[in-house]
Amino acid sequence: MLGDFDTTEVPFPFYFRHFGTFAGPQYETGSYDYDAASQEGVWHTLINEDLSFKNTDLGAYLFNSFYDYVGFHCDYVSTAQMTLEASYGNIPVFNVYASQTNVNGNITAIGNITAIGNITSYGQYTLNGVLNLTGVGDAASYMQTTRSIANSKKSFDISHPSKENHRLRYVCLEGPEAAVYYRGRLKGTVIELPDYWKDLVDADTITVNLTPHGSYQELYVKSIEWGTKIQIRNANGGSIDCSFVVCGERKDVTKNIPEYQGSSPFDYPGDNKEYTVAGYKEVA
């Protein structure tokens, strides 16, 4: 593929009439020379167009023209590292067609990795950045917000609704609504609800159950003030000694739809992103 020509007139370290493969370096002159000056040892340093391949590199290149070629090379004569590149920089597209590709060693990617298919890992997965899921965003921070664990309607752990730099963990009872409860023993006239209830619970849904201790007492709820205090009275005027259970529906989530038509939880007509369905296993 090489013709008879004066290499001193070629503005490139080596020349092919149309296309071909070059392997180097060549230190001894044979029937033809690759160097532009027709002498060994002066290829790359005197030629401005080729900025990657040096006359001391080991390599193999595929050429289309003077300024359009791809190939790999080892810097100087060291085989410790091999570089695959084009004359103009990064190769735009590098395709490997194989049923299976095995790599024995580490893989480092400077750029994006796109997989059309499954990724299976048999070792530890370490994430040092943001993990984005379609429709979710940053999954790591998402799991620390109300929309994941907090809205699971089973157990939840959320940022405190009233106190800065605090969290709130509740374990929910089973029922048709996203309800919370507060219980205790009362010897007095006022049940003081947790201060965060005003931001967590719909005050209009609060209910109170009272159980007298020691003797019969005609107990009743006089009033519920601002969703934070419950006034209890004894109709016979005696002292109050009772246990209580106060329930209320959460107002920071959408209302649950307890019954709906369908064959699986995926048929739920509401926002399924607020739920984790425990104990469900789909049957084929």
Side-chain angles (χ1 to χ4, degrees), residues 185-193 206-212 217-225 229-235 237-246:
R185 181 91 175 250
L186 175 65
K187 294 182 178 181
T189 60
V190 180
I191 299 175
E192 297 277 357
L193 296 175
I206 292 178
T207 59
V208 184
N209 293 324
L210 304 172
T211 303
Q217 303 167 55
E218 296 182 7
L219 305 179
Y220 66 94
V221 175
K222 179 182 180 183
S223 63
I224 300 176
E225 301 174 359
K229 293 184 179 181
I230 302 175
Q231 298 287 344
I232 305 299
R233 294 293 183 267
N234 189 336
S239 61
I240 297 173
D241 183 4
C242 68
S243 59
F244 63 85
V245 178
V246 182

Side-chain angles (χ1 to χ4, degrees), residues 7-8 26-27 29 33-43 46:
T7 56
T8 60
Q26 178 165 332
Y27 285 105
T29 300
D33 294 325
Y34 286 108
D35 57 272
S38 191
Q39 57 183 337
E40 306 303 331
V42 294
W43 305 351
L46 301 180

Side-chain angles (χ1 to χ4, degrees), residues 147 150-153 175-180 200-206 247-260 268-275:
R147 288 187 58 82
N151 292 343
S152 66
K153 309 297 197 304
E177 62 183 0
V180 295
L200 182 69
V201 176
D202 181 355
D204 293 334
T205 67
I206 292 178
C247 295
E249 187 174 1
R250 287 172 59 183
K251 65 180 180 181
D252 63 327
V253 297
T254 58
K255 287 183 177 295
N256 180 52
I257 304 172
E259 292 182 292
Y260 59 92
Y268 182 72
D271 186 1
N272 251 335
K273 294 193 297 293
E274 291 190 355
Y275 296 81

Side-chain angles (χ1 to χ4, degrees), residues 79-94:
T79 58
Q81 177 172 299
M82 179 178 291
T83 301
L84 177 65
E85 62 187 354
S87 54
Y88 41 81
N90 293 338
I91 298 175
V93 179
F94 180 67

